[in-house]
Amino acid sequence: MKIFIDTADVGQIKEAWSWGIIDGVTTNPSHIAKTGRKPLEVYKEICKIVDGPISLETISLNAKEIVKEGRALAKLHKNVVVKVPILKEGLKAVKQLSSEGIKTNVTVTFSPLQALLAAKCGATYISPFVGRLDAVGHIGMDVVRQIKTIYTNYGYKTQILTAAVRHPLHVLEAGLIGSDVCTMSYDVLEQLYNHPLTDLGVEIFLKDWAKTQQQA
Ligand code: E4P
C-alpha cells in the first residue's frame, strides 16, 4: 500500500520524506490555510521535496473554471495530481482533464456510488473520507470495502486513496481491504512506528548487551 502524508506543513513533509516510507502528498485548502502561507509558494516547495504524486486542490465550482485551474496546477510539476471535489461540475472537469492526460484525485467522497461515477470519468484516485463518516455514525471503512468490490467487479483502474484517517486501525483496515493508497497526518504516521513490545524488547537487548561487557 502506498502511504501519503496529508498536510501542507513543509517541515513535516521534509521530515517524513527523510524516513523513506512516504510515496506522495495530499493537500487541501484547509491545510494550506493552517500554514498561513501563499498556496503557490507552498506547492512549489513540496514539489522540490517529494518525488511522488502531490495532490493540489481546485476551488472553482464550474467545470470550465476547474479545468482551467487544473491545467495551471498540472503545469507546476510533473508529479502534480489535480484534486477535484466530487460535484457534478467537478466530474465533468475530471473527464476533460483525464482526456488531456492530467492526473486527478476526486475528493470529499462519502459513498461508493460517487466513487463509481468518478471511475467512469477516468479519475486517477478516489478519496473516501473515512474519519468524517465515522464522526457522523457511519462506518467509514465500509465505504472503502464497497468501492473496492465495485472497482474489482468492473476492472476500473481508479486507485482507492483512503483519506481523513484518524488512527492506525484505519491504516490497518485500508491495507487489509486492499486500498491502493492511504493518506494520513504526521501524527498518525508516527503512531505506526510505535509498539510497546518493541520498546521493551530493545530495552532488554541493551541491558543484556551491557552484561556481556562486564564478562571477562
Ligand atoms: C485527503 O486528501 C484530505 O486532505 C484529508 O484527508 C481530509 O480529511 P480531514 O480534514 O477530515 O482530516
Side-chain angles (χ1 to χ4, degrees):
M1 182 168 69
K2 286 176 205 140
I3 294 180
F4 290 0
I5 184 166
D6 189 36
T7 185
D9 182 321
V10 171
Q12 290 187 346
I13 294 171
K14 210 178 274 177
E15 174 62 17
W17 179 250
S18 78
W19 300 342
I21 52 141
I22 298 297
D23 300 290
V25 181
T26 49
T27 65
N28 64 37
S30 308
H31 289 327
I32 296 289
K34 271 185 226 150
T35 68
R37 303 178 58 200
K38 294 256 178 273
L40 211 56
E41 191 183 292
V42 178
Y43 294 162
K44 285 180 182 167
E45 264 185 58
I46 297 173
C47 290
K48 276 191 199 147
I49 301 166
V50 173
D51 186 17
I54 297 162
S55 289
L56 309 178
E57 192 158 336
T58 57
I59 44 101
S60 302
L61 294 176
N62 71 75
K64 215 171 147 195
E65 288 302 311
I66 297 169
V67 169
K68 205 167 131 193
E69 254 192 89
R71 285 177 186 146
L73 289 171
K75 274 199 189 116
L76 290 179
H77 195 277
K78 65 172 174 46
N79 287 337
V80 168
V81 175
V82 178
K83 205 172 178 189
V84 182
I86 190 154
L87 307 165
K88 199 181 282 172
E89 290 294 305
L91 286 187
K92 274 157 71 175
V94 166
K95 181 119 191 174
Q96 177 58 33
L97 291 168
S98 307
S99 77
E100 295 174 19
I102 293 173
K103 292 201 171 75
T104 56
N105 173 359
V106 174
T107 190
V108 208
T109 304
F110 297 97
S111 93
L113 294 176
Q114 288 180 314
L116 170 63
L117 303 181
K120 290 185 78 71
C121 291
T124 315
Y125 299 97
I126 184 75
S127 290
F129 278 20
V130 297
R132 292 195 195 182
L133 278 165
D134 289 354
V136 293
H138 290 270
I139 299 170
M141 293 312 298
D142 280 352
V143 171
V144 177
R145 213 169 279 114
Q146 289 168 337
I147 297 171
K148 181 75 184 173
T149 302
I150 293 171
Y151 283 7
T152 305
N153 284 349
Y154 298 101
Y156 286 118
K157 297 278 178 280
T158 302
Q159 297 180 49
I160 304 172
L161 195 168
T162 301
V165 157
R166 301 287 181 251
H167 47 68
L169 274 182
H170 278 148
V171 185
L172 172 64
E173 266 204 87
L176 292 172
I177 293 167
S179 179
D180 302 278
V181 191
C182 192
T183 191
M184 65 204 79
S185 66
Y186 184 88
D187 290 349
V188 173
L189 275 176
E190 280 210 307
Q191 284 177 286
L192 299 186
Y193 281 93
N194 300 332
H195 199 292
L197 289 179
T198 302
D199 296 342
L200 186 63
V202 170
E203 198 184 313
I204 292 169
F205 282 150
L206 289 180
K207 270 190 193 148
D208 288 341
W209 184 256
K211 282 181 207 160
T212 68
Q213 303 307 295
Q214 314 304 322
Q215 290 156 6

